Amino acid sequence: MPVHSIHDTQPADRWEDAFLSGNGEYGIMVFGHPHRERIVHNHHRYVLPNESLGMRPPAVADRLEQVRDLALAGERERAQREFSDGRGMAWTQSFHPGHLLHVDTTAGDSPVEHYRRVTDFATGEVRVSWSDGEREWVRRAFVSRADAVAVVEITGPRLDLALRLSGELSGRPAEVTFTTSAEVTGDGEASLAVVGEYPPGPGAAGFTGVTRAVVTGGRVAAEGDTVRVEGATRVVLLTRMDRSAPLPRIDALRAVLAELPTEYDELLSRHAPVHGELYGRAELDLGVPDSNRGLPVGELIARADTKTLDGALIEALFHSGRYLLLSSSGVLPPRLTGLWLGEWGAAWSGDYTTDANINLQMAGAVLTGMPELIAPYAALIDGQIDDWRTNARTIYGTRGILAPSRTDGEHGLLFHLNDDWPWTMWLAGADWLLFPLYEYWQATGDDDFLARTLAPWLVEAAVFFEDFLTREDDDGHLVLVPSYSPEVGPRDGRGMSGVNATMDLAAARHALTTAAEICTHLGIEQTAVGRWRALAERLPPYRVDRQGALAEWAWPGLETADAHRHISHLYPVWPLHDITPDDTPDLAAAAREALLRRGDENLSAHGSLHRALVAARLKDSGTAKENVLKIVGRNMVFRSLMTSHNPDLEIYNADAAHCLPAVVVEMLLDSRPGIVELLPARPPEWRSGSLRGLATRAGVGVDELTWDVSEGLAKVVLTSPLERDIVLVCRDGSDQRQTVHLLPHVPTTVTVPLA
């Protein structure tokens, strides 16, 4: 059976290899020598205030017609300057780590034998154990979803420890100051506190962490900011954190901690079922020998090469990816680093980069059986939808919504731009960011969520295009101008913007037709439905260039620049299903040509992931596999199974860790309304295996999918909440198609032949 944990026989010498736990609000990172262990405490809402808090989108709506004239005349650089306001590039508030918990042995370093550290995906628990012969020490830690607290338990025959909180993390700006304290608060109890203060100005004043220490069988004393424990057999540490203006009060956090049980197992028993029920819904089995599954994580990672998708490593990454996505989703969805960071100065502010990364990270949430994780994603959008309205009104003078290319989680105003980076011209953002919510509705049929939350936003996405689309070309097609394809301009280099970027074109068509679809379904906005469908019909077709590739710009003279990590022009393939091998074979062939022609640039994780997802949709298993190998075969996996943004472990980044489960699913199962396809892009080395607990966009659950090439059979167990027919496709050598009638809540098993 697959293993739902990782273990290591070596301590983590650096924070990037720390083992991870989280509850979607707090995250902890456990690393260091057993006699000098460190636990970084993170909080999803810890961002460093900066000048962006007072920034607004550029008020350029009155220049729109002039900008359109310039863009249509080919004066794209001038159009960009006119549609900016001369500002320099500003960044979101940077995500930053909270504080360190220092756990130091004070009685001298005893020998360390049989060292082992484990992350248990099913419980969210990190365990560290070692012995010095006959005596054993154990440290356990997790972050509770039930009680919103980080919990650490330390046990051993004799514990002589110095416990301290600090802000001693690399890269901390000098203007962020820390004060720390410790005091004995009762018999066998002490309290530790750390307060970080931001520079004066707008935004939060700072952040606070408080730890309650409960000691069994020993003495407790406070010296300065350190709690000293002597001769104990057990220490339990409970930590709460907060960030606000004014500063969070230490006594308020202490009061909350005082109400909690102090038994580790009791707290774990309240958390584990909540976490475990979500995590335990899906499983991947690639028929890996148990001896390979049981390898330490360092040896698992070492099995990777650039030619073969090793089953043991892929299983581990599938399960750890779901674990990390779950652990970093709660009050907010995952950031660029998930919920974890061990030093200040995160790349790209550690924010939500919305033109690619967050959608890639969320791609497996619904499909791998955790639709509840859409709630924090929806909460992120809900918290800033008014800002999206402000963007549309201020920049374009329209109704509806316009999303920014990045957000720190506190607001969604579009200010990240300058004359050379025309983010005001990216029109696709709202449709792109709403798609995971639409996919959630397709999979679950949650009409209450659709009516209350999603439908109004989808309507606003359509209304934006209804107001925006006022220009026509010589053939009577509506023109998307100005337009932008993240983060690359046409090949001539004369400006980044242009006309009819394929991503914007796909988004406009999808926004208009989707709003019409859901309004018809709900029986609302009936007078608008016809208008939206008529506008969608007047949009130009996708363009195929002279090389037979889907062009990035559906406008004469604007040629694709192929040396880039982004593949935004393949939005119609993934995630939209607007271009498919079945329905639009010629365009699918052109999309594949575009995919193969696109260079890798810097081999960034998100670029390879996006390519793999598109390749799977195009039923190209070889290209999908090749792009997964760019990640697992190029030293991009830390010993926690968190991943890096670039090869050779450059830049701690959750894109690959969180997205790889979705890539695996897309290679083995594709779906859209009315259709479920088995093994669309199965790599040849995965000759047998099973997937359990998946959701589909056809509204049908896949309880289990199994396949065995040597036996020439695949079998799937489908369950639907409603009576319905679906077309079941398996083109893995046999191109079998059949209609399957499903009764409500009755598992239906179908066996299909493989070539």
Side-chain angles (χ1 to χ4, degrees):
M1 292 292 292
V3 175
H4 293 279
S5 64
I6 53 170
H7 74 277
D8 201 347
T9 55
Q10 300 177 24
D13 294 327
R14 56 180 188 162
W15 67 264
E16 291 93 338
D17 288 323
F19 277 11
L20 308 172
S21 181
N23 69 349
E25 182 177 19
Y26 300 172
I28 59 172
M29 313 177 74
V30 182
F31 70 104
H33 188 278
H35 293 305
R36 290 170 295 280
E37 195 162 73
R38 302 293 179 260
I39 302 178
V40 181
H41 286 66
N42 291 289
H43 192 297
H44 235 323
R45 298 194 185 278
Y46 280 10
V47 292
L48 178 62
N50 66 11
E51 71 281 359
S52 72
L53 286 172
M55 290 186 173
R56 306 280 294 176
V60 291
D62 60 341
R63 308 179 198 173
L64 177 58
E65 297 311 317
Q66 176 192 4
V67 167
R68 285 174 159 167
D69 290 340
L70 290 168
L72 291 168
E75 296 186 52
R76 302 195 311 276
E77 288 177 296
R78 185 178 168 195
Q80 289 171 202
R81 289 194 300 273
E82 290 297 326
F83 216 49
S84 179
D85 53 8
R87 68 178 68 192
M89 184 68 78
W91 286 82
T92 49
Q93 300 174 94
S94 182
F95 179 56
H96 67 80
H99 65 270
L100 268 178
L101 168 62
H102 301 248
V103 180
D104 293 319
T105 299
T106 59
D109 291 1
S110 60
V112 174
E113 301 174 0
H114 308 297
Y115 177 88
R116 184 180 178 93
R117 60 186 184 124
V118 178
T119 302
D120 187 331
F121 302 151
T123 64
E125 190 179 24
V126 175
R127 297 189 294 271
V128 177
S129 62
W130 75 94
S131 65
D132 66 351
E134 296 182 357
R135 302 186 301 171
E136 184 180 37
W137 283 261
V138 178
R139 292 175 183 161
R140 302 190 288 169
F142 71 98
V143 187
S144 174
R145 280 192 176 266
D147 293 300
V149 63
V151 186
V152 178
E153 180 193 60
I154 308 167
T155 59
R158 179 183 174 92
L159 302 175
D160 298 298
L161 303 171
L163 307 173
R164 184 168 65 93
L165 305 185
S166 84
E168 297 167 6
L169 290 164
S170 176
R172 175 170 60 88
E175 61 269 23
V176 177
T177 60
F178 277 87
T179 56
T180 57
S181 61
E183 62 180 278
V184 174
T185 54
D187 186 19
E189 289 211 22
S191 178
L192 297 140
V194 56
V195 178
E197 293 192 53
Y198 300 134
F207 53 100
T208 300
V210 174
T211 296
R212 178 187 180 191
V214 182
V215 178
T216 302
R219 296 181 298 280
V220 183
E223 297 179 8
D225 64 356
T226 302
V227 168
R228 297 197 174 273
V229 177
E230 294 183 0
T233 56
R234 181 186 309 274
V235 176
V236 174
L237 305 170
L238 309 177
T239 300
R240 290 289 299 259
M241 295 173 280
D242 200 5
R243 172 184 182 273
S244 64
L247 281 170
R249 291 170 46 190
I250 292 173
D251 59 346
L253 292 174
R254 280 181 179 168
V256 175
L257 291 172
E259 297 298 318
L260 292 175
T262 59
E263 288 295 324
Y264 180 95
D265 287 336
E266 180 181 353
L267 288 164
L268 183 62
S269 71
R270 287 151 63 146
H271 157 79
V274 180
H275 171 98
E277 196 279 325
L278 285 163
Y279 171 78
R281 292 176 185 166
E283 183 176 75
L284 173 68
D285 185 338
L286 293 174
V288 175
D290 289 343
S291 58
N292 292 347
R293 287 177 175 145
L295 292 172
V297 67
E299 294 182 38
L300 264 180
I301 295 169
R303 292 176 61 84
D305 62 39
T306 58
K307 296 181 179 179
T308 304
L309 290 175
D310 178 72
L313 179 57
I314 294 298
E315 277 188 7
L317 288 168
F318 180 88
H319 297 131
S320 70
R322 293 184 69 252
Y323 166 74
L324 294 171
L325 177 62
L326 168 59
S327 300
S328 58
S329 299
V331 298
L332 291 168
R335 296 175 177 274
L336 285 174
T337 62
L339 179 51
W340 302 279
L341 192 62
E343 65 183 16
W344 291 68
W348 305 286
S349 294
D351 63 10
Y352 299 96
T353 306
T354 59
D355 64 340
N357 308 68
I358 189 170
N359 289 43
L360 291 167
Q361 290 199 33
M362 293 298 297
V366 173
L367 298 182
T368 68
M370 298 187 292
E372 291 87 346
L373 302 193
I374 285 296
Y377 182 82
L380 175 69
I381 294 174
D382 188 47
Q384 55 190 251
I385 197 72
D386 281 341
D387 289 343
W388 292 13
R389 295 178 185 120
T390 298
N391 295 335
R393 185 173 60 250
T394 307
I395 297 171
Y396 285 101
T398 66
R399 300 170 298 158
I401 50 179
L402 181 71
S405 65
R406 53 191 345 110
T407 172
D408 50 36
E410 290 202 337
H411 66 86
L413 294 171
L414 200 162
F415 60 83
H416 177 77
L417 72 139
N418 62 19
D419 289 352
D420 297 319
W421 291 91
W423 285 110
T424 51
M425 299 179 175
W426 183 46
L427 312 173
D431 185 71
W432 166 254
L433 290 169
L434 292 177
F435 185 84
L437 305 180
Y438 176 66
E439 182 180 63
Y440 163 83
W441 172 70
Q442 288 181 314
T444 65
D446 185 349
D447 277 351
D448 184 64
F449 171 79
L450 178 68
R452 291 176 179 270
T453 301
L454 180 56
W457 298 344
L458 292 174
V459 166
E460 290 188 271
V463 164
F464 170 81
F465 285 109
E466 185 176 6
D467 288 0
F468 174 87
L469 291 165
T470 61
R471 294 288 184 105
E472 295 182 2
D473 64 17
D474 293 341
D475 296 321
H477 293 123
L478 295 168
V479 177
L480 290 133
V481 59
S483 186
Y484 179 46
S485 188
E487 302 172 12
V488 56
R491 193 167 60 205
D492 61 15
R494 298 200 301 268
M496 297 284 284
S497 64
V499 182
N500 286 351
T502 297
M503 185 182 196
D504 285 345
L505 172 57
R509 182 178 288 114
H510 185 258
L512 292 164
T513 57
T514 301
E517 172 202 349
I518 60 95
C519 287
T520 299
H521 177 76
L522 295 173
I524 61 174
E525 300 282 353
Q526 292 303 291
T527 58
V529 166
R531 295 199 309 273
W532 295 333
R533 287 182 172 146
L535 281 171
E537 288 294 323
R538 294 177 59 199
L539 289 168
Y542 297 122
R543 174 174 163 248
V544 177
D545 66 20
R546 287 171 293 179
Q547 287 76 37
L550 183 70
E552 192 154 12
W553 306 86
W555 192 254
L558 299 185
E559 300 302 327
T560 303
D562 281 321
H564 205 271
R565 63 195 177 280
H566 279 265
I567 55 168
S568 302
H569 56 315
L570 296 176
Y571 184 32
V573 180
W574 185 92
L576 290 189
H577 275 116
D578 195 27
I579 293 176
T580 70
D582 289 336
D583 297 338
T584 56
D586 291 344
L587 282 174
R592 183 174 182 272
E593 182 65 22
L595 178 64
L596 296 179
R597 293 180 68 84
R598 197 70 152 194
D600 279 307
E601 197 180 9
N602 59 1
L603 285 165
S604 63
H606 72 80
S608 298
L609 294 160
H610 204 163
R611 286 163 170 76
L613 289 164
V614 169
R617 286 285 175 87
L618 296 172
K619 323 305 175 189
D620 183 349
S621 64
T623 302
K625 168 185 168 178
E626 173 188 317
N627 279 282
V628 175
L629 286 171
K630 290 173 187 174
I631 293 170
V632 298
R634 281 187 163 83
N635 192 26
M636 295 179 71
V637 182
F638 293 104
R639 293 173 79 94
S640 61
L641 297 189
M642 181 55 80
T643 48
S644 64
H645 187 274
N646 297 331
D648 295 323
L649 300 179
E650 182 187 357
I651 306 176
Y652 195 82
N653 177 265
D655 291 348
H658 290 168
C659 186
L660 276 169
V663 174
V664 170
V665 170
E666 292 274 0
M667 294 167 82
L668 299 175
L669 186 77
D670 189 14
S671 62
R672 48 193 165 124
I675 299 174
V676 173
E677 180 169 352
L678 311 181
L679 310 177
R682 177 187 59 83
E685 53 264 59
W686 298 353
R687 293 183 56 80
S688 65
S690 67
L691 262 175
R692 177 177 61 81
L694 304 181
T696 73
R697 302 170 199 90
V700 173
V702 175
D703 300 343
E704 189 170 28
L705 165 64
T706 60
W707 70 96
D708 192 317
V709 174
S710 62
E711 293 184 1
L713 292 174
K715 183 173 69 175
V716 64
V717 182
L718 304 170
T719 303
S720 171
L722 305 172
E723 184 172 1
R724 56 162 52 103
D725 288 340
I726 62 108
V727 175
L728 187 67
V729 179
C730 183
R731 73 181 81 223
D732 194 344
S734 59
D735 200 16
Q736 293 286 316
R737 294 169 183 267
Q738 57 183 297
T739 299
V740 179
H741 184 69
L742 301 174
L743 296 174
H745 306 291
V746 177
T748 300
T749 301
V750 184
T751 301
V752 297
L754 301 176

